[in-house]
Amino acid sequence: MASASALRLSEISPLIVQSEIRSMSVECDRMGGVNLAQGVCDTGVPAPVAERALAAIEQGHNIYTRLDGIAVLRDAIAQKALRYNGIHADPESEVLVTSGATGAFYAACLALLNPGDEVLLFEPFYGYHANTLRAQRAVPVAVPLENGNWAIDFDRLRRAITPRTRALLINTPSNPCGKVFTREELAQIAAIVEEHDLIVFTDEIYEYFVFEGAQHVSFATLPGMASRTITISGLSKTFSITGWRVGYLIADRSVLGTIGYFHDLTYVCAPAPLQHGAAAGLVALPDEYYQAMARDYQSKRDLLCGALTRMGLTPSIPAGAYYVLADASRIAGANAREKARTLLAATGVAAVAGTAFFAEGRGENLLRFCFAKREEDLQRACDLLGKL
Ligand SMILES: Cc1ncc(COP(=O)(O)O)c(C=O)c1O
């Protein structure tokens, strides 16, 4: 047996703690509550997606695929990217199928960043983005959005740039605040990244979850930006297949091959039969599928935001994605973690402490609720919130 001293953890290990989301989910399961903490997305998988994946298993598509993914899926992604996003991508050299958007970002960082490189993240941010950077010895630098309306303070963004800044990350629609970046905002960001010659990572996993008048704009479609942008997305949310681990990225051919080698090294490939399922969904599902999904999530958003408002947990109404940040000032607790636990104990509804999405010391008065739930579960959560 190794001596205790041989089992020293790496220097970065203390930075990577279990996410609040997972620990709230565990606690919620223990209590038999309704979990609005995690974006588990337990709605049904579209029939063409599930049927093709099952058929692919039976037809023997169970071995490693090409490291950049099967041709039918890369073709389907390139066509979808052109049709929906307006991005031109060659499926042979500019599309990489990955182990979820998570694997895409991990591999892209390995290929493009050096230890100590600073990467700008708008705050509130998705915890995995910050931790992926830390895990690779890069430095996440939070640029706070204006509280409540999530506007960008461009002076603040400029001030955050140092000689070590290498990249900027845009998550639109955003987890956790639901911000959908406008074309005007993206144009101003484009001018800044051009001036400072930065890489841009975009995480567009919620691209189809946009409500009312909001419109999803891909940063890579702004003039001159495609060559410096790594566009990341996936099917986890759109097809309710978070456990399948199928995502992708689109990048300039000059770097895509190397990102692919790093992805191969970490994940080898996305699950082969599930790649077939995802491709079938992209090819078969009409625009109406995506529009109906957005309408469905908008009504779930309204249901949850209504219940939160009635309880005095004033929500910031999201324009996209499927999370709500709500003001938790009236819930007892010294900090957001305690408030989340008070709420769970009092109502059986799990939410996540806002601090999970902010740099140290911020987000203490916020809780994040997820509405990617079956209608009846969400209704139950709204009823339970009434106990507060
Ligand atoms: C912003 C964001 N990116 C990526 C992911 C994970 O995507 P995937 O399942 O494709 O790895 C999530 C999941 O919650 C997310 O919120």
Side-chain angles (χ1 to χ4, degrees), residues 346-357:
T347 66
V349 176
V352 193
T355 40
F357 312 98

Side-chain angles (χ1 to χ4, degrees), residues 49-370:
V49 178
E51 284 162 12
R52 183 71 196 98
L54 288 169
I57 292 175
E58 284 175 354
Q59 289 161 5
H61 294 291
N62 301 304
I63 56 171
Y64 302 136
T65 68
R66 219 172 91 163
L67 74 83
D68 54 354
I70 60 171
V72 277
L73 180 53
R74 279 183 285 106
D75 287 345
I77 291 166
Q79 282 167 30
K80 171 262 169 203
L82 185 59
R83 205 174 55 237
Y84 183 67
N85 308 86
I87 297 175
H88 295 262
D90 170 14
E92 270 301 304
S93 61
E94 294 174 327
V95 175
L96 177 69
V97 176
T98 58
S99 175
T102 308
F105 185 48
Y106 211 91
C109 290
L110 281 168
L112 295 165
L113 300 178
N114 289 312
D117 281 352
E118 294 176 3
V119 179
L120 305 173
L121 303 182
F122 292 106
E123 179 200 83
F125 49 74
Y126 171 56
Y128 270 60
H129 290 150
N131 278 345
T132 297
L133 294 167
R134 291 188 186 111
Q136 300 193 24
R137 275 92 169 157
V139 183
V141 175
V143 180
L145 296 170
E146 275 174 31
N147 205 2
N149 70 1
W150 316 119
I152 303 170
D153 178 340
F154 284 97
D155 288 333
R156 201 164 194 166
L157 175 58
R158 284 181 181 281
R159 283 199 307 276
I161 297 173
T162 75
R164 301 231 55 152
T165 308
R166 179 85 180 100
L168 174 146
L169 188 144
I170 299 167
N171 175 208
T172 184
S174 148
N175 172 8
C177 70
K179 178 183 176 65
V180 176
F181 286 64
T182 64
R183 191 175 291 281
E184 293 68 36
E185 287 173 323
L186 295 176
Q188 289 195 63
I189 294 172
I192 295 173
V193 298
E194 192 144 48
E195 183 185 331
H196 294 274
D197 201 18
L198 306 180
I199 300 169
V200 175
F201 297 105
T202 69
D203 180 335
E204 305 182 27
I205 189 94
Y206 298 104
E207 61 192 328
Y208 287 108
F209 299 80
V210 269
F211 312 130
E212 278 148 4
Q215 203 205 340
H216 176 69
V217 181
S218 290
F219 187 76
T221 62
L222 274 85
M225 289 302 114
S227 60
R228 64 173 72 244
T229 305
I230 314 297
T231 302
I232 295 171
S233 193
L235 290 319
S236 283
K237 316 287 176 173
T238 312
F239 295 163
S240 304
I241 49 170
T242 52
W244 282 25
R245 314 311 307 131
V246 183
Y248 61 89
L249 62 75
I250 294 172
D252 192 85
R253 70 193 65 201
S254 62
V255 294
L256 189 116
T258 305
I259 300 174
Y261 296 150
F262 279 106
H263 186 270
D264 175 34
L265 202 55
T266 331
Y267 307 97
V268 182
C269 62
L274 308 187
Q275 291 190 47
H276 285 273
L282 285 174
V283 171
L285 294 168
D287 290 348
E288 173 53 22
Y289 168 80
Y290 302 95
Q291 290 154 5
M293 188 177 70
R295 284 197 300 275
D296 179 41
Y297 277 81
Q298 184 169 322
S299 77
K300 288 177 176 171
R301 173 197 72 169
D302 294 343
L303 179 68
L304 178 60
C305 287
L308 292 168
T309 305
R310 282 193 295 282
M311 289 306 109
L313 305 173
T314 307
S316 150
I317 313 285
Y322 50 56
Y323 307 94
V324 189
L325 283 175
D327 179 2
S329 309
R330 66 157 292 216
I331 300 179
N335 53 42
R337 290 187 67 218
E338 282 186 25
K339 286 170 189 280
R341 281 161 179 77
T342 306
L343 181 74
L344 182 61
T347 66
V349 176
V352 193
T355 40
F357 312 98
F358 288 79
E360 193 78 34
R362 291 196 286 265
E364 293 291 9
N365 259 333
L366 295 172
L367 292 178
R368 192 200 71 172
F369 296 82
C370 171

